[in-house]
Amino acid sequence: MSMNGEFLRVTPGELARALEDPEWALDFAAEVQEQEDDRTAPAEARHFTTHQTWHLLDFLLKRLAFPVDITYGEEPIPEADDWGYEPPRYLTDERVRLAAERLGRMTYAELIRGVDHAELAAAEVYPQIWDSPSSLEWAGDVFPALTEFFQAAASAGHAIVIWLD
């Protein structure tokens, strides 16, 4: 079984309800995931997954002092149970807007510039696949889609709920 980074776009009303009723939020997330598939364009999707690239992206973004924690979220959903490996957290619409703006200013090539695959192995970045320089290209398709997802959420004034499962 693998660990996957999961993201759910929510309206301000849905976020308020999630904060009051975390069980509703979990059911809502599952419902949205069932309705969408990998063919849904990131700009149209309510749910997005970075699959197993979440830890690599976290490592790369933290290395550049990215101002928003888009991997784990920043605020806990009070009294929520684990949605996989831990309780979900969220980003407010303001933090989503900042993240989208900053993500839109970078490319994946810029994100990995100067990184050696051995750094990832030494940092024990999940999953442990860092045996060659080409392994850095692994998240090259995920990053632009994640950026598109965040930009669409920001344009719609949405918050984002984040969890690992």
Side-chain angles (χ1 to χ4, degrees), residues 85-136:
Y85 289 94
E86 58 190 24
R89 298 174 64 83
Y90 68 95
L91 300 173
T92 64
D93 60 332
E94 294 89 10
R95 301 297 286 166
V96 169
R97 199 168 25 259
L98 175 60
E101 175 188 316
R102 296 291 177 91
L103 288 168
R105 292 188 203 162
M106 62 177 61
T107 65
Y108 189 70
E110 293 167 339
L111 194 60
I112 63 171
R113 184 177 296 133
V115 177
D116 184 272
H117 68 283
E119 284 180 74
L120 302 172
E124 298 182 355
V125 172
Y126 174 86
Q128 297 287 320
I129 61 164
W130 314 113
D131 55 351
S132 74
S134 65
S135 60
L136 280 165

Side-chain angles (χ1 to χ4, degrees), residues 54-69:
W54 61 272
H55 201 204
L56 171 62
L57 293 171
D58 183 59
F59 177 88
L60 296 171
L61 290 167
K62 283 183 177 167
R63 182 178 157 270
L64 297 178
F66 196 77
V68 181
D69 187 347

Side-chain angles (χ1 to χ4, degrees), residues 31-50:
E31 185 179 306
V32 169
Q33 285 177 290
E34 287 175 19
Q35 293 173 357
E36 296 181 353
D37 59 33
D38 288 339
R39 294 182 307 254
T40 305
E44 303 300 320
R46 294 289 301 271
H47 169 259
F48 184 80
T49 183
T50 55

